[in-house]
């Protein structure tokens, strides 16, 4: 145990040490990688530095140091045990083509012994044993021995242990040397060391000698200027230095546990409690993601965020917490980390809004969904051996009650059930096809037939839709449409009767567009891309992978199933024949095309 050590001091000690050794301190990058489409999250300190490790010049120099926020989701289901986390901080120092092995090991040794107070014979290290891609790293071992680390405390291991990277599918990587220190307990036997797994030896730091660029084809190309990348996990090392087994026992989490106990009135919601650990860990991670502009949703990072929040809420229920609580937990994170990560405080309102919204949505669904879930379980008699929730039922929990599939799997496991994942995927695909058809049907449904005349009136409807938005308000949108070969009928939200001037302006604007002979173009794209083009139309179709977007020149862009005229020149003269109320707040226009 190091007296008076804590995470704040460790960060300062590390950064100041490397600054004194010629490094520039840089700010943590976002949790969302900017330069790596192969990864959802920043998973290591080196990740945001990849372009520089590959040779690009860094504006802050060749020697850098920082504390980087990271997120790894591979062990998300393990979170709850005393060791795993999704979010963590990593201290690091980098040489971008500057110093290499000798100086890196000198500095690591100096920091471990002078700053953290370890003795040379208390440290064990591992080095790369060599394989077809790179030779045995005897050089690193010799450098450690030069500093007085006994030869018997140096282990040579293969790629699975002593090779790091790339962070994504390709990028810089190389052999590494890892440093281990002992916790206060007896050796498990004569072979007790970094590989025995008894828990006595804790990895405290990693030095990666980045000499290669791994290509997407799996080739290792030597880098012109080798780099050094080191990583020290703040949570793990703080726990070790404070004499704890688990980071959940350190002050990094104590404020969060305290708040959780206050909010739940449950004195047992501390680091010993599995549910409490999930709640504090997931809400810490969620708060950081929200500060990096991720919003809860159904794909990619947004989905991970949603899973974190929803799992935390569910575990909190087990502690007896039924009121909204997540933003109050987020406040502890904002307060505790605000100085190092100013984006937390500047996003405080967004963090609150998003957590409150997600919590409200999920809380309502959780009650109903759990009842539904219990019914599914209760329908299966006890004597059934392979108890399983069907894909259809799992999908229904997802679609109707917003249960992430992982949540259903976890709840099922608690009751001794499996989930038919194949069936779930199939049900999701079916639904996608149906809702796609549904979206298109709405438009087809509005069309009495597919004649040329109706196609032309359909195109006129898009022109009318946009003209109303231009003349009245951007808030106007379609509330209903019905088209025959003779006329169009269009319902839209507008609180009062349109004036004759407004009607004339809309009519004129549509006719101007018709006279411009604008081409009508159909493009297929993903719903995400459609959103980006600012097309108007229906977006709630969650599984609608691909949609059709119809553009009429530069005037209108709308998600739609068609059919349409090819060019506005086919339309003739547009004339509004009636404007009336359809229902409260909804107006109805009837119009014709005169040839
Ligand atoms: N990239 C290495 C790691 O993550 C060292 O920083 O351990």
């Amino acid at each position: 145990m190091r007296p008076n050590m804590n995470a704040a001091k460790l960060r300062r000690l590390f950064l100041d040490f490397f600054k004194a050794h010629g490094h520039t301190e840089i700010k943590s990058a976002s949790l969302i990688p900017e330069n790596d489409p192969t990864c959802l999250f920043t998973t290591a300190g080196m990740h945001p530095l990849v372009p520089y490790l590959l040779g690009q010049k860094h504006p802050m120099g060749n020697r850098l140091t920082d504390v980087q926020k990271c997120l790894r989701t591979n062990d998300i289901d393990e979170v709850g045990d005393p060791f795993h986390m999704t979010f963590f901080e990593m201290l690091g120092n980098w040489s971008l083509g500057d110093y290499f092995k000798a100086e890196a090991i000198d500095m690591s040794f100096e920091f471990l012994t002078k700053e953290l107070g370890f003795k040379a014979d208390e440290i064990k290290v591992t080095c790369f044993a060599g394989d077809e891609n790179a030779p045995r790293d005897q050089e690193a071992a010799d450098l450690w021995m030069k500093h007085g680390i006994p030869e018997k405390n140096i282990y040579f291991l293969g790629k699975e242990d002593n090779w790091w990277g790339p962070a994504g599918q390709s990028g810089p990587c190389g052999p590494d040397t890892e440093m281990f220190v002992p916790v206060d307990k007896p050796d498990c036997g004569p072979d007790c060391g970094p590989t025995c797994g008894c828990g006595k030896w804790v990895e405290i730091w990693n030095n990666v000698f980045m000499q290669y660029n791994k290509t997407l084809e799996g080739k290792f190309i030597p880098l012109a200027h080798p780099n050094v990348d080191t990583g020290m996990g703040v949570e793990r090392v703080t726990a070790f230095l404070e004499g704890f087994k688990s980071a959940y026992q350190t002050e990094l989490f104590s404020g969060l546990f305290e708040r959780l106990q206050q909010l739940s009135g449950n004195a047992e919601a501390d680091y010993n409690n599995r549910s409490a650990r999930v709640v504090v860990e997931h809400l810490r991670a969620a708060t950081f993601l929200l500060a990096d502009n991720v919003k809860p949703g159904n794909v990619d990072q947004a989905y991970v965020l949603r899973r974190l929040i929803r799992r935390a809420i569910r575990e909190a229920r087990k502690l007896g917490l039924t009121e909204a609580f997540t933003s109050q937990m987020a406040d502890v994170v904002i307060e505790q980390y605000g100085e190092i990560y100013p984006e937390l405080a500047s996003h405080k309102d967004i963090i609150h809004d998003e957590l409150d919204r997600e919590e409200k949505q999920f809380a309502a669904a959780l009650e109903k969904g759990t009842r539904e879930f219990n019914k599914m379980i209760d329908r299966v008699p006890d004597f059934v051996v392979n108890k399983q929730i069907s894909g259809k039922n799992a999908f229904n929990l997802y679609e109707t009650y917003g249960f992430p599939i992982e949540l259903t799997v976890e709840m099922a496991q608690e009751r001794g059930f499996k989930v038919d994942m194949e069936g779930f995927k199939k049900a999701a695909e079916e639904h996608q096809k149906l809702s796609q058809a549904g979206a298109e049907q709405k438009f087809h449904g509005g069309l009495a037939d597919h004649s040329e005349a109706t196609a032309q009136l359909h195109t006129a409807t898009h022109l009318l839709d946009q003209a109303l938005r231009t003349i009245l308000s951007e808030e106007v949108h379609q509330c209903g449409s019905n088209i025959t070969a003779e006329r169009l009928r269009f319902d839209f939200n507008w609180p009062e009767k349109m004036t004759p001037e407004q009607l004339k302006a809309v009519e004129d604007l549509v006719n101007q567009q018709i006279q411009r002979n604008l081409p009508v173009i159909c493009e297929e794209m993903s719903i995400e891309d459609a959103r980006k083009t600012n097309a108007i139309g229906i977006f709630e179709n969650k599984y609608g992978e691909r949609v059709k977007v119809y553009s009429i020149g530069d005037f209108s862009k709308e998600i739609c199933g068609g059919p349409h005229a090819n060019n506005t020149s086919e339309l003739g003269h547009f004339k509004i024949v009636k404007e009336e109320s359809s229902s409260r707040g909804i107006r109805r226009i009837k119009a014709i095309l005169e040839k």
Side-chain angles (χ1 to χ4, degrees):
M1 173 112 153
R2 273 36 187 187
N4 303 321
M5 184 52 90
N6 61 30
K9 283 187 191 154
L10 174 66
R11 289 189 202 99
R12 232 23 291 160
L13 210 58
F14 187 98
L15 297 170
D16 288 346
F17 175 86
F18 282 100
K19 275 158 79 175
H21 286 75
H23 294 64
T24 304
E25 182 179 340
I26 56 171
K27 241 186 78 56
S28 172
S30 166
L31 280 170
I32 311 306
E34 258 176 46
N35 300 309
D36 188 353
T38 68
C39 264
L40 288 182
F41 298 107
T42 298
T43 54
M46 56 73 75
H47 206 158
L49 294 170
V50 167
Y52 310 103
L53 292 163
L54 288 173
Q56 204 173 305
K57 211 171 153 32
H58 195 289
M60 306 296 275
N62 297 335
R63 291 177 175 226
L64 306 175
T65 185
D66 74 6
V67 54
Q68 171 67 48
K69 46 190 177 176
C70 303
L71 202 124
R72 292 184 187 172
T73 52
N74 34 352
D75 304 316
I76 195 164
D77 296 325
E78 310 293 331
V79 174
D81 72 16
F83 305 106
H84 283 93
M85 281 163 211
T86 55
F87 175 89
F88 62 98
E89 294 175 276
M90 195 180 259
L91 288 158
N93 57 288
W94 288 275
S95 155
L96 303 175
D98 191 74
Y99 58 85
F100 201 46
K101 250 173 238 187
E103 213 174 326
I105 288 180
D106 286 352
M107 285 188 283
S108 287
F109 186 79
E110 189 184 334
F111 185 75
L112 289 180
T113 50
K114 296 228 175 87
E115 303 293 334
L116 298 186
F118 294 103
K119 300 196 182 61
D121 62 3
E122 272 183 316
I123 303 169
K124 295 197 178 195
V125 298
T126 59
C127 299
F128 183 54
D131 69 3
E132 66 281 7
N133 301 124
R136 173 185 166 96
D137 200 355
Q138 188 59 45
E139 188 188 352
D142 291 343
L143 288 162
W144 287 121
M145 281 193 278
K146 189 192 84 186
H147 284 294
I149 298 207
E151 190 167 6
K152 67 173 175 39
N153 287 354
I154 299 174
Y155 299 71
F156 285 92
L157 302 172
K159 220 181 208 135
E160 51 298 346
D161 292 297
N162 279 90
W163 187 274
W164 203 91
Q169 284 160 28
S170 60
C173 56
D176 69 26
T177 179
E178 299 182 2
M179 292 144 258
F180 293 77
V181 285
V183 299
D184 192 13
K185 72 176 207 176
D187 283 4
C188 64
D191 296 329
C192 189
T195 55
C196 70
C198 78
K200 175 166 174 130
W201 293 90
V202 176
E203 184 199 330
I204 189 166
W205 203 355
N206 185 9
N207 278 8
V208 186
F209 305 119
M210 294 205 148
Q211 293 168 271
Y212 302 93
N213 179 26
K214 185 178 179 190
T215 64
L216 277 173
E217 300 80 49
K219 288 209 187 93
F220 292 85
I221 314 285
L223 290 170
H225 301 284
N227 311 294
V228 174
D229 151 42
T230 91
M232 178 182 275
V234 171
E235 283 76 3
R236 187 197 305 194
V237 175
T238 301
F240 177 85
L241 296 174
E242 292 185 29
F244 296 123
K245 270 199 181 143
S246 155
Y248 289 104
Q249 287 171 272
T250 68
E251 79 291 342
L252 284 168
F253 288 98
S254 53
L256 281 161
F257 283 121
E258 255 165 52
R259 181 64 58 91
L260 185 59
Q261 285 170 342
Q262 280 164 9
L263 291 168
S264 64
N266 184 339
E268 281 171 18
D270 64 10
Y271 66 83
N272 285 311
N273 183 292
R274 182 179 177 279
S275 293
R277 288 193 293 257
V278 175
V279 174
V280 298
E281 200 288 329
H282 281 9
L283 290 179
R284 183 176 74 142
T287 306
F288 271 96
L289 281 173
L290 287 161
D292 279 341
N293 300 317
V294 182
K295 305 256 158 55
N298 286 328
V299 287
D300 301 339
Q301 289 98 346
Y303 184 60
V304 172
L305 174 58
R306 170 160 283 170
R307 266 176 79 185
L308 291 169
I309 300 172
R310 294 189 168 195
R311 189 160 180 240
I313 294 171
R314 181 169 169 265
E315 293 297 331
R317 290 282 191 279
K318 296 184 188 166
L319 298 166
L321 231 176
T322 48
E323 301 294 311
F325 75 105
T326 53
S327 26
Q328 294 184 64
M329 297 293 287
D331 282 342
V332 179
V333 179
I334 297 169
E335 173 87 7
Q336 179 178 326
Y337 288 94
E339 222 174 275
I340 316 170
Y341 303 102
E343 59 276 21
L344 289 165
S346 65
H347 284 71
K348 188 169 177 168
D349 290 345
I350 295 176
I351 293 171
H352 279 191
D353 288 352
E354 292 295 330
L355 284 174
D356 291 347
R357 193 197 327 257
E358 184 69 13
E359 188 164 15
K360 216 167 162 188
Q361 248 185 39
F362 184 55
L366 190 60
E367 310 298 334
K368 288 195 201 123
T370 306
R371 250 179 276 143
E372 193 57 33
F373 174 85
N374 287 335
K375 269 194 239 157
M376 288 174 194
I377 297 271
D378 293 342
R379 273 199 293 267
V380 180
D382 277 348
F383 59 78
V384 174
V385 182
N386 292 319
K387 297 195 175 75
Q388 176 155 295
I389 292 184
S390 73
K392 214 170 129 239
N393 280 340
F395 184 72
N396 186 38
L397 286 171
Y398 173 87
E399 180 58 18
T400 313
Y401 303 104
F403 277 32
I405 180 64
E406 297 78 11
L407 178 62
T408 304
V409 170
E410 198 178 298
M411 287 171 66
Q413 264 164 7
E414 287 170 9
R415 305 282 300 266
F417 277 64
K418 288 211 170 79
V419 175
D420 173 11
M421 290 303 289
E422 279 306 305
F424 172 80
K425 276 185 212 137
K426 238 194 230 141
E429 277 160 22
E430 290 283 290
H431 174 85
Q432 175 182 341
K433 276 188 215 134
L434 272 182
S435 57
Q436 183 106 27
E440 294 188 0
Q441 234 156 35
K442 262 183 210 141
F443 293 93
H444 285 162
L447 294 173
D449 61 53
H450 285 183
S451 70
E452 234 171 52
T454 49
Q456 288 162 3
L457 278 157
H458 192 184
T459 303
T461 306
H462 280 211
L463 292 175
L464 171 63
D465 193 349
Q466 183 55 45
L468 287 167
R469 290 161 59 84
T470 309
I471 303 291
L472 297 180
S473 155
E474 282 287 308
E475 302 295 317
V476 165
H477 56 256
Q478 170 175 330
C479 300
S481 167
N482 177 291
I483 301 169
T484 68
E486 285 75 40
R487 54 111 184 103
L488 68 85
R489 198 179 81 195
F490 185 77
D491 291 356
F492 59 99
N493 54 320
W494 189 243
E496 61 209 9
K497 190 166 177 56
M498 282 176 70
T499 64
E501 292 75 28
Q502 285 169 335
L503 285 170
K504 168 122 188 20
V506 168
E507 210 174 62
D508 287 351
L509 185 54
V510 172
N511 280 316
Q512 273 165 28
Q513 304 312 314
I514 293 176
Q515 279 152 26
R516 285 171 71 204
N517 298 344
L518 297 172
V520 181
I521 301 205
C522 175
E523 288 168 284
E524 264 198 47
M525 60 183 83
S526 72
I527 193 116
E528 293 307 319
D529 286 344
R531 209 187 295 267
K532 282 185 212 138
T533 67
N534 287 327
I536 54 178
I538 298 166
F539 282 100
E540 308 96 65
N541 175 5
K542 283 183 233 129
Y543 284 94
E545 279 265 281
R546 298 190 75 74
V547 290
K548 286 183 196 163
V549 173
Y550 277 90
S551 310
I552 309 177
D554 54 4
F555 184 68
S556 147
K557 215 179 244 296
E558 194 164 323
I559 296 186
C560 172
H564 279 276
N566 294 318
N567 193 292
T568 58
S569 60
E570 297 165 25
L571 269 49
H573 184 259
F574 175 80
K575 189 170 155 60
I576 294 178
V577 291
K578 201 170 203 175
E579 192 272 349
E580 61 190 354
S581 166
S582 158
S583 59
R584 202 163 63 83
I586 309 285
R587 307 297 300 176
R588 170 170 289 180
I589 282 180
K590 284 187 188 157
I592 55 169
L593 288 172
E594 297 174 321
K595 298 284 163 73

